[in-house]
């Protein structure tokens, strides 16, 4: 068999395995989220990882902002799973900032994710949260075509 064909088969198999494991990780996320949702509201914080590990935290909280359950997922691969964080149970999410000694004990990526969960919780609690798209993909042709048409219309109006 030609080496290019063998290489192509290996790449396709690796891609399929990544898709399967990614779907399994998403299923795990949904199961943990459902467990936490049964306990109360859920605050989710994230710190995206491109080269460094990505970090995701979820806190089940009651109406007063007290943490009922806490989970974290941190890792580079799709094999990462949620782990419990019992040290946060019973704490008030309003005080999860960089000055909290409990937060300072965690690694920097986890600190960022915890503060993101707190900030999102505070914005929703205050009623000032609005979903903002992060960025559009280069392959999102619909958005690019609308932008191009808007510029063309502006140019033609002049």
């Amino acid at each position: 068999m030609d080496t290019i064909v063998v290489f192509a088969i290996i790449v396709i198999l690796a891609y399929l395995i990544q898709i399967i494991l990614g779907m399994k990780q998403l299923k795990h996320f949904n199961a943990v989220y459902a467990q936490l949702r049964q306990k109360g509201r859920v605050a989710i914080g994230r710190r995206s990882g491109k080269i460094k590990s990505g970090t995701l935290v979820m806190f089940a909280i009651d109406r007063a902002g007290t943490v009922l359950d806490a989970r974290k997922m941190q890792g580079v691969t799709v094999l990462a799973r949620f782990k419990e964080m019992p040290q946060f149970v019973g704490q008030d999410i309003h005080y999860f900032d960089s000055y909290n000694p409990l937060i300072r004990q965690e690694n920097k990526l986890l600190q960022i994710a915890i503060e993101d969960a707190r900030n999102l919780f505070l914005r929703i609690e205050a009623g000032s949260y609005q979903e903002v798209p992060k960025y559009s993909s280069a392959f999102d042709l619909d958005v690019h075509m609308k932008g191009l048409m808007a510029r063309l219309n502006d140019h033609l109006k002049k």
Side-chain angles (χ1 to χ4, degrees):
M1 226 193 264
D2 194 39
T3 57
I4 295 175
V5 173
V6 172
F7 180 72
I9 291 172
I10 291 171
V11 168
I12 291 170
L13 284 175
Y15 186 69
L16 290 174
I17 289 170
Q18 182 181 6
I19 289 173
I20 291 168
L21 291 175
M23 289 172 51
K24 199 169 183 160
Q25 186 180 46
L26 186 59
K27 187 176 179 181
H28 177 68
F29 171 86
N30 288 334
V32 171
Y33 177 76
Q35 288 175 354
L36 295 178
R37 189 71 185 104
Q38 288 177 348
K39 296 179 181 182
R41 297 183 295 171
V42 179
I44 301 175
R46 64 184 172 86
R47 194 284 182 187
S48 299
K50 304 220 181 339
I51 296 175
K52 294 182 178 180
S53 67
T55 306
L56 195 69
V57 294
M58 290 196 289
F59 297 106
I61 52 178
D62 64 8
R63 291 281 174 206
T66 303
V67 176
L68 304 171
D69 196 356
R71 308 279 176 99
K72 72 175 177 179
M73 180 169 52
Q74 191 167 27
V76 179
T77 68
V78 291
L79 299 175
R81 295 289 179 249
F82 278 98
K83 297 177 178 90
E84 293 185 4
M85 298 188 303
Q87 68 271 26
F88 292 101
V89 175
Q91 301 292 321
D92 191 345
I93 195 168
H94 295 98
Y95 300 109
F96 285 1
D97 58 11
S98 59
Y99 301 108
N100 188 318
L102 195 59
I103 306 299
R104 292 181 130 191
Q105 292 175 358
E106 303 297 340
N107 65 54
K108 191 66 176 169
L109 302 175
L110 191 56
Q111 288 177 14
I112 293 169
I114 291 170
E115 288 184 36
D116 182 51
R118 174 190 177 261
N119 292 336
L120 183 61
F121 171 76
L122 292 176
R123 285 198 319 249
I124 289 173
E125 191 176 51
S128 63
Y129 175 73
Q130 292 182 349
E131 187 75 31
V132 178
K134 297 288 182 190
Y135 57 88
S136 66
S137 169
F139 299 108
D140 195 359
L141 296 177
D142 184 41
V143 172
H144 291 292
M145 289 303 293
K146 286 180 182 177
L148 182 63
M149 294 303 288
R151 284 193 300 245
L152 184 62
N153 284 338
D154 288 343
H155 183 68
L156 291 176
K157 287 180 183 177
K158 292 180 181 178

